[in-house]
């Protein structure tokens, strides 16, 4: 991400469509331990996920069928759509009450920018069925 000036604000990408991955059927085994993996998705200025990478924050714990889970995540996130990240440039508004101070700021420009998100996907077996959760990487 480029450096920001004092009058710029980074607005993170916002998901518009983000269906969860399906739990891989061939990995659905009773009493299977949860599998967690972290990916980095690269969102271009058009709001489309163009790259899915392994995140540097993924501990890479060994798990049965790990590649199958990774493939399920990649297939899902490549269909996701975002309102892209933007850099919003602000400008001073008016001094409406004439006290010598600007009373508000206005948006002078917005520029979509490429960004990334690191997301943790957790696959669990619950009551005989597969469950998938997603959240930020921590």
């Amino acid at each position: 991400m480029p450096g920001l000036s004092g009058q710029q604000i980074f607005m993170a990408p916002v998901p518009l469509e983000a269906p969860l991955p399906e739990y891989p059927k061939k990995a659905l085994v009773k009493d299977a331990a949860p599998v967690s993996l972290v990916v980095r998705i690269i969102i271009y200025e058009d709001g489309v996920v163009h790259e899915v990478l392994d995140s540097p924050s993924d501990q890479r714990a060994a798990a049965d069928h790990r590649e199958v889970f990774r493939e399920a995540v990649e297939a899902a996130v490549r269909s996701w759509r975002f309102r892209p990240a933007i850099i919003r440039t602000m400008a001073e508004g008016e001094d409406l009450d004439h006290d010598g101070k600007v009373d508000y700021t206005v948006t002078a420009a917005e520029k979509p920018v490429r960004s990334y998100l690191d997301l943790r996907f957790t696959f669990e077996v619950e009551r005989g069925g597969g469950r998938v959760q997603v959240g930020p990487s921590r």
Side-chain angles (χ1 to χ4, degrees):
M1 180 176 78
L4 301 176
S5 75
Q7 294 182 325
Q8 292 181 317
I9 302 168
F10 175 76
M11 307 294 290
V14 175
L16 301 173
E17 296 176 43
L20 289 174
E22 291 189 26
Y23 196 105
K25 294 209 185 317
K26 73 180 189 179
L28 190 55
V29 179
K30 183 179 178 185
D31 298 327
V35 173
S36 184
L37 58 104
V38 183
V39 296
R40 175 167 288 179
I41 60 172
I42 311 297
I43 305 158
Y44 279 28
E45 297 85 348
D46 59 2
V48 173
V49 175
H50 283 265
E51 297 177 63
V52 183
L53 310 168
D54 292 329
S55 170
S57 65
D58 193 4
Q59 280 85 40
R60 295 297 237 157
D64 289 341
H65 304 290
R66 183 174 178 87
E67 272 310 305
V68 175
F69 291 107
R70 176 66 168 75
E71 289 168 8
V73 167
E74 183 157 349
V77 299
R78 286 197 176 274
S79 73
W80 290 11
R81 299 295 175 260
F82 289 82
R83 185 175 73 216
I86 59 171
I87 293 179
R88 182 174 287 161
T89 303
M90 306 304 290
E92 293 182 347
E94 299 178 54
D95 174 12
L96 297 174
D97 58 6
H98 306 291
D99 65 355
K101 299 177 192 168
V102 173
D103 292 322
Y104 60 92
T105 58
V106 295
T107 300
E110 288 186 342
K111 178 183 178 190
V113 293
R114 191 174 301 180
S115 63
Y116 72 87
L117 294 173
D118 283 353
L119 299 171
R120 178 174 305 279
F121 291 83
T122 304
F123 294 81
E124 299 175 293
V125 176
E126 187 175 90
R127 295 181 208 154
R131 182 176 93 147
V132 183
Q133 294 180 304
V134 63
S137 158
R138 291 208 200 313

